[in-house]
Amino acid sequence: SDQFFDMVLKAPSSIVMLKGADHIFEMVNPLYLQLIAKKDVIGKTVAEVLPEVVDQGFIGLLDNVYITGKSYIGTEVLVKIDKEGNGELTDAYLNFIYQAYKNNEGNIAGVFFFINDITEQIQTRKAIEKSEMFFKGVIENSDDMITIMDPTGKTMYASPSVQKKFGYTYEECLNLNIADVIHPDDALIVQGLFMKIMTIPSVPMECPIVRNRKKDGSYMWVEGILTNFIGTEGINAVVANFRD
């Protein structure tokens, strides 16, 4: 019906109707044409329009759905598309479903498929994961110590070098407040610095040399920098960089 085709044209997902065992394009919406960067596809087979997907296994998936009638759901599937027609393949990540449909006689006539292009989300996630791995590697292999604290001075994160030099486990570090480890004679110095950095966000401030208590009860002289990132989205904490 006209209402159905209007719905397909305006759908927020790519929608395709394939006919027959050769998977001939019977109907596509604009989003799908945009995804594959093609125009004239009606009456052609998927293999003709997108020969690059044959070896990627997508024709085999369509064959199986057409033969068995069992739907196929793909999640975060990578497909390489020749958008320019020059053999240069572009990565696209898709969530999709292949679903068989029947004719009036009750026989499978073809396959519908619905696609959501999630390429941007996946690429963003991968970039974040790569960045996190890089900084994790830098932090975990550095002799400099890093702690991340809430506004009260409670530890939210302690780098491996903190655990190694002070003897605390990571879990023990998370139960510590800065007030628990500062030498009593240095407590007022650190308290004053904490109060000062709370009024000056995002500006690194040098901390005078003070004594921090190790797990065995002895003290280590440390110097470093405190920065108030409480108002910075994604950090929302006080970051301390210090060394023995």
Side-chain angles (χ1 to χ4, degrees):
S1 68
D2 291 341
Q3 186 177 6
F4 172 75
F5 282 102
D6 185 58
M7 179 191 71
V8 170
L9 288 173
K10 296 178 180 178
S13 303
S14 297
I15 300 178
V16 178
M17 179 180 181
L18 303 175
K19 184 178 180 181
D22 292 329
H23 314 302
I24 299 170
F25 285 104
E26 183 83 354
M27 178 193 70
V28 299
N29 71 346
L31 269 183
Y32 182 71
L33 294 176
Q34 181 179 326
L35 172 66
I36 64 173
K38 302 287 189 296
K39 293 181 179 179
D40 302 319
V41 303
I42 302 301
K44 299 177 182 177
T45 68
V46 173
E48 288 175 319
V49 175
L50 298 166
E52 65 271 22
V53 306
V54 176
D55 289 340
Q56 295 178 58
F58 291 96
I59 302 300
L61 292 175
L62 288 169
D63 288 341
N64 190 62
V65 172
Y66 182 81
I67 293 169
T68 66
K70 294 180 179 179
S71 299
Y72 180 87
I73 297 175
T75 303
E76 297 187 3
V77 176
L78 171 63
V79 56
K80 295 178 178 289
I81 303 172
D82 184 2
K83 291 190 174 185
E84 303 298 328
N86 59 5
E88 186 175 334
L89 301 179
T90 300
D91 288 351
Y93 289 89
L94 311 174
N95 288 340
F96 65 89
I97 179 170
Y98 290 160
Q99 186 172 336
Y101 68 91
K102 297 181 179 181
N103 56 25
N104 293 332
E105 288 74 41
N107 299 315
I108 293 176
V111 177
F112 268 122
F113 62 88
F114 307 86
I115 299 173
N116 284 319
D117 183 359
I118 57 169
T119 305
E120 186 174 343
Q121 297 96 303
I122 295 297
Q123 289 177 340
T124 298
R125 189 184 75 196
K126 286 180 177 293
I128 291 172
E129 289 172 351
K130 184 177 180 180
S131 177
E132 288 177 344
M133 287 178 63
F134 173 78
F135 284 107
K136 184 178 180 182
V138 170
I139 290 171
E140 291 189 351
N141 290 285
S142 172
D143 280 336
D144 282 358
M145 294 173 277
I146 299 173
T147 57
I148 298 176
M149 299 169 285
D150 70 13
T152 70
K154 185 178 186 302
T155 304
M156 300 163 60
Y157 169 81
S159 65
S161 54
V162 174
Q163 303 158 49
K164 181 172 66 175
K165 290 180 178 293
F166 281 89
Y168 298 107
T169 66
Y170 184 69
E171 290 71 23
E172 288 171 336
C173 287
L174 297 185
N175 288 320
L176 291 174
N177 188 290
I178 191 171
D180 299 327
V181 296
I182 291 294
H183 192 285
D185 293 344
D186 299 331
L188 288 178
I189 296 174
V190 175
Q191 183 181 1
L193 181 62
F194 236 80
M195 292 174 64
K196 187 174 182 179
I197 67 169
M198 289 303 166
T199 65
I200 311 175
S202 304
V203 176
M205 300 197 69
E206 188 173 342
C207 178
I209 298 175
V210 294
R211 289 158 287 186
N212 284 0
R213 181 171 51 81
K214 299 166 68 173
K215 185 175 180 178
D216 64 10
S218 64
Y219 282 87
M220 178 190 298
W221 290 94
V222 298
E223 63 178 358
I225 293 173
L226 293 177
T227 310
N228 173 10
F229 286 121
I230 292 172
T232 302
E233 190 64 35
I235 303 179
N236 305 113
V238 174
V239 177
N241 300 74
F242 57 102
R243 57 185 174 273
D244 183 356

